[in-house]
Amino acid sequence: MSVSDTQFIGAWRRVLELSKLQPGQTVTVLTSASTHPQTLRCAIAASSALGAVVNRLDLQPVNGEKALSRDSLAYLGTTPLTGNKAAIAALKASDLVLDLMTLLFSPEQHEILASGAKILLAVEPPEVLCRMVPTEDDRARVLQATNLISRSKVMTVTSKAGTELRCELGEFPAIAEYGFVDEPGRWDHWPSGFALTWPNEGGTEGRIVLDRGDILLPMKCYISDPIEIVIRDGYARSITGGFHADLLAEYMASFEDAEAYAMSHVGWGLQPRAHWSTLAQYDREATIGMDARAFEGNFLFSLGPNNEAGGTRTTTCHIDIPMRRCTVSLDGQSVVVDGQVQDAAGTAYARKRKEFL
Ligand SMILES: O=c1ccc(O)c[nH]1
């Protein structure tokens, strides 16, 4: 279902207000070939209505012939900004960059943020953005989780399907994704609502058993046969199972890059307005799957780059795998139990959604 410009401009205005956009500040809207026209139109209208000086910077797409997917998060590292001094200068001189193109995991993104500019990524369809307009509650809930991560030394993850994983923490910061950029130098992604960090380099051991209904991104498929991934010294050492294991293994092998098998970020979903089932309702290329990354109670882990957290690994292959029904603990305190987020007292949130069956 579409949303009207009126509704979408209102959503943008709310996100820009939460991002503390002030009259007279400079907003640069970063676009490329895949930018959604209604998102562009409404982002410019909302920024202008709030008194900002609004620019648009349109860049030529890159990597199309290298990537096996058109998903903007599938092939990372170099972007249309790579080596583009004029474009980088314009973004560094902006107070707020609305990234309707996807800079995520790019070295240039860090250079722009270091100048104090804020970057908000927004590439999901307009109706998804309107369904998950961020709130102060989202921010509070995610910051509570990242504060706990920041104080923790070990994350353990288990599941009835057989997952037994241990991640040493502390080398990298915890990252809060709550959908708006309220401080200079902050990056965020609308829609989101999850907490993540990177395990220490080489500090992840164990096995991950993906079960029926867990999700592979960027493939955007629910797996039907279990997949076992053995992790040793921070790298996936084997990926075994049925058809979906082959799909994952073959896709990763196509990058011919040993670094693609490294652990990337680990964390859990905290967005009650995101749903596990949404991916089944969209054509593959119509979404990048943020409902899957953000649904409350998922364990989201990923393989590949760590430059987003300040590491040096910029492998172009990035795999995100949201899992259901895991138990996630930090220094022995369970934050998710069998897919149910625990509140600070360690009891399951009262599910807002009524159950009728
Ligand atoms: O918002 C995002 C999107 C993808 C990812 O891997 C991390 N955060």
Side-chain angles (χ1 to χ4, degrees), residues 73 104-105 177 187 189 194 196 265 290 293 302 318 320:
L73 289 175
L104 190 58
F105 287 97
E177 292 198 31
W187 170 89
H189 188 173
F194 49 91
L196 51 91
H265 53 80
M290 289 311 290
R293 288 187 181 86
S302 73
H318 180 47
D320 278 331

Side-chain angles (χ1 to χ4, degrees), residues 182-193:
D182 46 334
E183 290 157 8
R186 176 172 172 74
W187 170 89
D188 210 315
H189 188 173
W190 170 33
S192 57

Side-chain angles (χ1 to χ4, degrees), residues 63-306:
N63 297 330
E65 80 291 353
K66 298 192 193 95
L68 299 185
S69 162
R70 286 196 273 183
D71 183 308
S72 56
L73 289 175
Y75 192 95
L76 299 170
T78 57
T79 73
L81 277 186
T82 305
N84 189 337
K85 289 191 187 129
I88 291 171
L91 298 180
K92 286 169 81 168
S94 304
D95 297 291
L96 172 60
V97 175
L98 301 181
D99 176 5
L100 309 188
M101 180 198 79
T102 306
L103 287 176
L104 190 58
F105 287 97
S106 71
E108 295 79 18
Q109 175 167 292
H110 293 283
E111 185 184 342
I112 293 160
L113 293 171
S115 73
K118 302 186 279 189
I119 300 178
L120 182 66
L121 173 61
V123 294
E124 282 290 55
E127 70 281 1
V128 175
L129 291 169
C130 287
R131 171 165 46 92
M132 287 190 268
V133 173
T135 65
E136 293 281 5
D137 276 354
D138 291 340
R139 177 177 181 276
R141 195 164 52 246
V142 175
L143 287 180
Q144 183 183 30
T146 50
N147 290 341
L148 187 55
I149 291 173
S150 303
R151 298 196 302 271
S152 302
K153 296 279 180 284
V154 176
M155 175 187 285
T156 54
V157 185
T158 59
S159 72
K160 294 188 179 75
T163 293
E164 288 183 28
L165 194 73
R166 183 181 187 280
C167 305
E168 289 171 1
L169 307 178
E171 190 175 331
F172 296 107
I175 291 182
E177 292 198 31
Y178 47 78
F180 55 95
V181 284
D182 46 334
E183 290 157 8
R186 176 172 172 74
W187 170 89
D188 210 315
H189 188 173
W190 170 33
S192 57
F194 49 91
L196 51 91
T197 190
W198 273 252
N200 296 350
E201 269 304 275
T204 302
E205 297 294 328
R207 69 189 199 136
I208 294 169
V209 179
L210 304 180
D211 203 4
R212 180 188 306 268
D214 291 338
I215 292 170
L216 298 182
L217 298 172
M219 298 82 178
K220 300 192 198 74
C221 61
Y222 299 91
I223 70 169
S224 51
D225 303 325
I227 299 176
E228 181 182 54
I229 303 174
V230 174
I231 309 278
R232 201 170 48 250
D233 299 328
Y235 282 75
R237 304 295 176 182
S238 65
I239 298 174
T240 53
F243 158 69
H244 285 114
D246 291 349
L247 186 66
L248 176 60
E250 288 282 314
Y251 173 76
M252 293 183 72
S254 74
F255 287 81
E256 297 183 349
D257 180 356
E259 293 307 301
Y261 298 88
M263 282 297 291
S264 185
H265 53 80
V266 290
W268 65 98
L270 288 162
Q271 180 49 265
R273 290 170 289 155
H275 301 274
W276 168 78
S277 65
T278 304
L279 199 62
Q281 310 301 328
Y282 275 81
D283 293 339
R284 277 208 177 93
E285 294 194 345
T287 168
I288 59 169
M290 289 311 290
D291 274 84
R293 288 187 181 86
F295 72 85
E296 210 171 35
N298 77 23
F299 168 60
L300 172 64
F301 85 98
S302 73
L303 296 170
N306 69 358

